[in-house]
Amino acid sequence: MTGVMDLLGDVRDVGRDAHRGGYSRFSFSPADRDLRDWFVAESVRRSMDVEVDRNGAVWAWRAGASGSLDGAVGTGSHLDSVPGGGQFDGPLGIASALAAVDLLDARGQTYDRSLAIVAFPEEEGGRFGQACLGSQLMTGAIDPGRALALSDDDGVSLADALTRAGVDPTHVGRDDEAIGRIGAFVELHVEQGRGLVDLGQPVAIGSSIIGHGLWRLVVTGEANHAGTTLMPHRSDPMVVAGAIVVAVRDAARSVRGARATVGRVQSVPGGTNVIASCVEIWLDVRHPDDAIAADLVRAIHERAGRLAADEGCDVALTQMSYGESVQLDGPLRDRIAATLPDAPVLAAGAGHDAGVLAEVVPTAMLFTRNPTGVSHSPAEHVEDDDAEAGAAALADVLHALMTPARPDLEGRTP
């Protein structure tokens, strides 16, 4: 029986980022390939059948007593990271699922339902800029043509990346066969906040996932020489971009429960002695109420337009992605709460593949305590005992859901 931290220890050096710190594990990169190979090897070691689906997700399967895979209880997470992210965001859910299989095997019981573990690609959007891309493709939440045209910073399209990874891009899109096999899905994830720290508990049950989206603001001005262009003669989009960053913060502070972040700014042409011709600003906005989030984005856009006009510049806004707020399945959550009576119920302020799957199958989440309360950062952490507590809780939940079979957990027809 292998512990969670032992499993993660095997891939501790994969994707380390010497420049940013932490880990940069982008989808279909060499680091991602090593992680996928690790997941496959560990699944095979547990006598699970492995396949890569039409959208590049890796599935490990174990049939139930009937031999059928239909109505399986699914679990898993993702393996990719944000640039310079932490060790646990994503891989903890995969390692915990593998450890939970060991705990179930130790019980020596035959289960009515089959079991599936999945590693979805591009959950973070760190390479192609679209969060939860793998689960969105599987459920039909994104148009395949639009997805395949997405490209990374080097100009490599998703279609090209899939082809290089051995996945035929012509088959990408909604996968009703995969959806139909899953009767319920439970994703375990490292907590990305301080809820469990403040409650003194190692594991929580998720109740909801906050709505969140990504927008790109492009401010255009006039490229010119930094030394010969006098200050009154400039149309400098970088000045506008700096003011927009502050305006984003102020706008979010004025709306209760809102989060708005500029995490990336890129100037063109990017020379230190050149006034930029344009600046791209990537904006992340979140709020539990989708209408309020939309109003906040409109307010930011209007303010950005006024700031641009004051400097003789223009600004354009493009929505890159949006996931609506999701209430996770109530009956499934209640059943998990009966299995884990001491676990508190918490809302998630971060997006997850579980939120996408919730549109087509009953879905739940578990969170393992992060004592720093910090995520998307090298400071993210999980204590050994908490990691094992999370795996044990997941094993108990999977045990309860796999036996006996329950009609109320059969997959819904979307």
Side-chain angles (χ1 to χ4, degrees):
M1 189 180 302
T2 307
V4 176
M5 289 307 198
D6 292 329
L7 286 162
L8 290 175
D10 292 339
V11 292
R12 185 169 290 121
D13 293 327
V14 175
R16 283 191 181 273
D17 192 323
H19 174 66
R20 300 182 180 95
Y23 297 84
S24 293
R25 296 162 161 172
F26 302 134
S27 296
F28 308 114
S29 67
D32 182 60
R33 180 196 61 220
D34 290 347
L35 290 167
R36 288 158 72 94
D37 288 347
W38 162 80
F39 172 45
V40 169
E42 291 296 338
S43 299
V44 170
R45 189 171 291 121
R46 289 161 176 80
S47 300
M48 303 185 79
D49 296 324
V50 178
E51 64 180 6
V52 178
D53 72 12
R54 61 194 291 181
N55 296 303
V58 184
W59 293 83
W61 293 90
R62 179 180 288 177
S66 69
S68 172
L69 298 179
D70 292 343
V73 176
T75 186
S77 191
H78 61 97
L79 294 168
D80 64 308
S81 76
V82 298
Q87 179 186 359
F88 302 95
D89 184 355
L92 178 70
I94 301 296
S96 297
L98 293 167
V101 169
D102 291 342
L103 292 169
L104 292 173
D105 286 346
R107 299 182 183 189
Q109 181 171 337
T110 299
Y111 291 98
D112 297 323
R113 286 181 175 270
S114 53
L115 173 66
I117 306 174
V118 59
F120 284 110
E122 192 69 2
E123 193 270 355
E124 295 291 2
R127 182 174 183 183
F128 296 104
Q130 180 76 35
C132 299
L133 181 56
S135 55
Q136 286 198 24
L137 282 168
M138 187 184 94
T139 60
I142 186 172
D143 176 72
R146 178 191 163 203
L148 291 171
L150 295 170
S151 61
D152 64 14
D153 290 342
D154 296 321
V156 178
S157 69
L158 175 64
D160 289 338
L162 287 169
T163 300
R164 294 173 188 178
V167 179
D168 186 348
T170 63
H171 294 157
V172 160
R174 182 180 170 95
D175 191 341
D176 287 314
E177 181 180 359
I179 294 169
R181 288 180 177 180
I182 303 300
F185 186 81
V186 182
E187 179 176 358
L188 181 143
H189 203 279
V190 62
E191 189 193 10
Q192 297 175 286
R194 292 191 50 86
L196 284 168
V197 176
D198 295 338
L199 293 170
Q201 292 287 339
V203 179
I205 302 166
S207 61
S208 60
I209 298 174
I210 193 173
H212 66 286
L214 182 66
W215 288 260
R216 184 176 63 181
L217 288 155
V218 179
V219 185
T220 55
E222 182 179 57
N224 216 325
H225 196 292
T228 61
T229 310
L230 298 178
M231 302 306 287
H233 300 158
R234 300 185 177 202
S235 297
D236 188 345
M238 187 63 81
V239 172
V240 179
I244 288 175
V245 172
V246 176
V248 166
R249 179 203 64 184
D250 293 344
R253 283 181 173 178
S254 70
V255 178
R256 183 177 178 86
R259 294 90 149 157
T261 306
V262 173
R264 178 183 175 190
V265 176
Q266 186 171 355
S267 68
V268 177
T272 56
N273 59 350
V274 180
I275 300 168
S277 61
C278 74
V279 178
E280 294 184 350
I281 304 165
W282 293 78
L283 171 67
D284 181 301
V285 174
R286 307 178 187 227
H287 194 279
D289 188 319
D290 297 317
I292 293 176
D295 289 342
L296 178 58
V297 172
R298 279 192 291 270
I300 291 171
H301 187 201
E302 291 171 2
R303 177 61 176 153
R306 293 193 294 270
L307 291 168
D310 290 345
E311 295 291 331
C313 296
D314 296 310
V315 65
L317 176 72
T318 302
Q319 180 176 307
M320 307 304 292
S321 64
Y322 191 77
E324 296 181 348
S325 294
V326 174
Q327 294 293 322
L328 298 173
D329 190 80
L332 179 57
R333 183 186 64 242
D334 292 345
R335 191 169 180 197
I336 292 173
T339 303
L340 306 175
D342 295 330
V345 178
L346 298 175
H352 300 283
D353 290 310
V356 179
L357 295 183
E359 292 296 315
V360 295
V361 298
T363 303
M365 290 200 71
L366 298 177
F367 299 110
T368 300
R369 178 166 52 193
N370 173 0
T372 67
V374 175
S375 189
H376 283 187
S377 159
E380 176 184 273
H381 184 62
V382 174
E383 296 289 346
D384 291 14
D385 289 347
D386 287 348
E388 302 311 322
L394 179 60
D396 287 344
V397 168
L398 296 176
H399 173 87
L401 297 180
M402 288 194 296
T403 176
R406 286 283 298 274
D408 61 316
L409 292 178
E410 294 297 337
R412 295 195 298 259
T413 300

